[in-house]
Amino acid sequence: MEKAETGGTTKPFNEPSPHFKLLLSCPSGLSPSQVSVVFDETYDRVPHPDMSLENSISEIWDQRIQRSTSLYNGQKFRYGGHMLCNGDGCDKESRVCLHLGLTDYRTFVGTNLNPLWEKFLVISKDDSIRCQHTSSPLGNGAIVETSDKKILVLKRSNDVGEFPGHFVFPGGHPEPQEVGISFHQHEIDSEAINKKVSLEMFDSIIREVVEEIGVPAASLCEPVFIGISRRELNVRPAAFFSIKCSLDSMEIQQMYSSAQDGFESTELYMVSVSDLESMGSRMPGCHQGGLALYMLMVEAEKNV
């Protein structure tokens, strides 16, 4: 595993890019047993000392809901960093522990998507300190490989709030409500909560693929965690997973037309790895990072 690398959308992937930063790269892929979570208010957002900047959060949100009555303020997990543990001794497995707090969509709109988003940042080489005043909800994305070796890519609808018209991997967010979390509860068994949140990291990406593509969950193999990318514009973080599907391209294309969340996209593409690389420049920054993470995994598999 490697920490805090930068990458580009064409080889080599360790060259700096203005579009994304790889906060965590796991080319060998990690199973659910190798990914843990510490969910704690320590990793919640720190309010900015500039009150006028803080007040702009409410102002931005009020403007958005006036334009779109369908918006609602749902809870999200906030990315607050991670800790690596490389296997040694009798235990050869590498592990990662994700540090997650709690945030919401309103604060995301008012900080990360604020026209003044850069003013929320702190000058620091430590990413968690640099972004301590932003909402930074942890998104997720899946690089899904079909049985005939194609990768699934969606073209986003022009009606969605983020990345309209862009090429993206299926994904969304792990959801606190799925594990019964709406606020920090200190009297609850923290170890049990951490395990539930850790499982939600993997359960949520299966859920997103099923809802956006229309394939049955039974056709998807267990997700493999490959790292975290952050879009440099608006400092938007996302965890990425590699998932193999037992269905071929033609079967999946037929199912896509009845996908539950099909309204979020206008078209599903089945592309080769080489075609995927050429599409990278038309992806949002965090998804460009997801592509870089996947290509690092592909290179690692070739070298095994």
Side-chain angles (χ1 to χ4, degrees):
M1 288 186 289
E2 300 174 5
K3 182 179 180 181
E5 286 192 357
T6 54
T9 55
T10 58
K11 295 179 182 179
F13 289 106
N14 59 352
E15 290 184 354
S17 166
H19 304 295
F20 67 88
K21 181 177 181 180
L22 300 188
L23 303 180
L24 174 63
S25 173
C26 306
S28 60
L30 301 183
S31 66
S33 65
Q34 294 172 275
V35 180
S36 61
V37 164
V38 173
F39 173 68
D40 192 270
E41 63 183 349
T42 305
Y43 306 114
D44 286 1
R45 171 183 173 269
V46 176
H48 199 283
D50 184 339
M51 287 308 299
S52 63
L53 200 56
E54 278 294 293
N55 291 336
S56 72
I57 296 174
S58 296
E59 294 168 4
I60 293 291
W61 178 251
D62 290 343
Q63 292 169 10
R64 286 287 295 271
I65 59 176
Q66 286 176 9
R67 295 199 302 267
S68 177
T69 56
S70 63
L71 286 180
Y72 69 95
N73 185 26
Q75 298 279 3
K76 303 295 178 187
F77 289 111
R78 181 180 185 273
Y79 175 70
H82 63 269
M83 183 174 66
L84 300 177
C85 178
N86 292 313
D88 54 17
C90 60
D91 185 357
K92 300 297 183 181
E93 280 196 337
S94 295
R95 292 185 173 85
V96 64
C97 179
L98 304 180
H99 298 161
L100 302 180
L102 200 60
T103 187
D104 55 37
Y105 190 70
R106 170 185 174 276
T107 312
F108 169 57
V109 169
T111 58
N112 293 79
L113 300 187
N114 193 319
L116 302 175
W117 67 273
E118 289 178 289
K119 292 184 179 293
F120 284 95
L121 302 181
V122 176
I123 299 175
S124 175
K125 292 183 179 179
D126 186 321
D127 190 75
S128 61
I129 294 175
R130 181 175 181 246
C131 301
Q132 65 181 346
H133 300 309
T134 61
S135 171
S136 299
L138 183 64
N140 59 21
I143 294 85
V144 181
E145 181 182 323
T146 68
S147 64
D148 52 345
K149 306 300 181 182
K150 300 295 185 181
I151 305 299
L152 305 185
V153 177
L154 293 165
K155 185 174 184 182
R156 296 273 282 171
S157 164
N158 288 322
D159 298 323
V160 294
E162 284 190 84
F163 317 136
H166 283 72
F167 293 119
V168 296
F169 298 114
H173 297 84
E175 300 288 353
Q177 67 179 16
E178 291 291 332
V179 289
I181 293 175
S182 56
F183 54 90
H184 291 287
Q185 297 173 282
H186 301 287
E187 68 278 8
I188 302 299
D189 182 355
S190 60
E191 184 175 349
I193 290 294
N194 288 340
K195 287 182 178 179
K196 286 183 178 181
V197 176
S198 179
L199 287 174
E200 171 62 8
M201 295 298 110
F202 288 82
D203 290 346
S204 62
I205 194 60
I206 290 289
R207 194 166 60 240
E208 295 290 354
V209 172
V210 169
E211 292 175 357
E212 294 187 11
I213 304 298
V215 297
S219 71
L220 301 172
C221 294
E222 183 176 78
V224 174
F225 175 75
I226 59 174
I228 298 175
S229 168
R230 189 193 66 198
R231 180 187 181 192
E232 288 289 44
L233 177 66
N234 307 122
V235 289
R236 179 76 153 95
F240 283 89
F241 300 80
S242 174
I243 306 176
K244 293 187 183 298
C245 181
S246 62
L247 304 174
D248 63 30
S249 300
M250 187 174 296
E251 292 173 306
I252 294 172
Q253 191 69 63
Q254 292 172 344
M255 295 176 177
Y256 171 66
S257 61
S258 58
Q260 179 180 329
D261 288 349
F263 63 91
E264 293 183 4
S265 60
T266 58
E267 196 165 351
L268 174 65
Y269 294 84
M270 320 282 187
V271 301
S272 65
V273 172
S274 59
D275 288 339
L276 180 63
E277 290 184 78
S278 67
M279 296 174 74
S281 62
R282 290 172 285 174
M283 288 181 167
C286 55
H287 286 257
Q288 290 182 23
L291 171 57
L293 289 168
Y294 177 71
M295 295 308 301
L296 287 169
M297 186 189 76
V298 170
E299 289 298 319
E301 289 177 345
K302 288 180 181 178
N303 296 327
V304 173

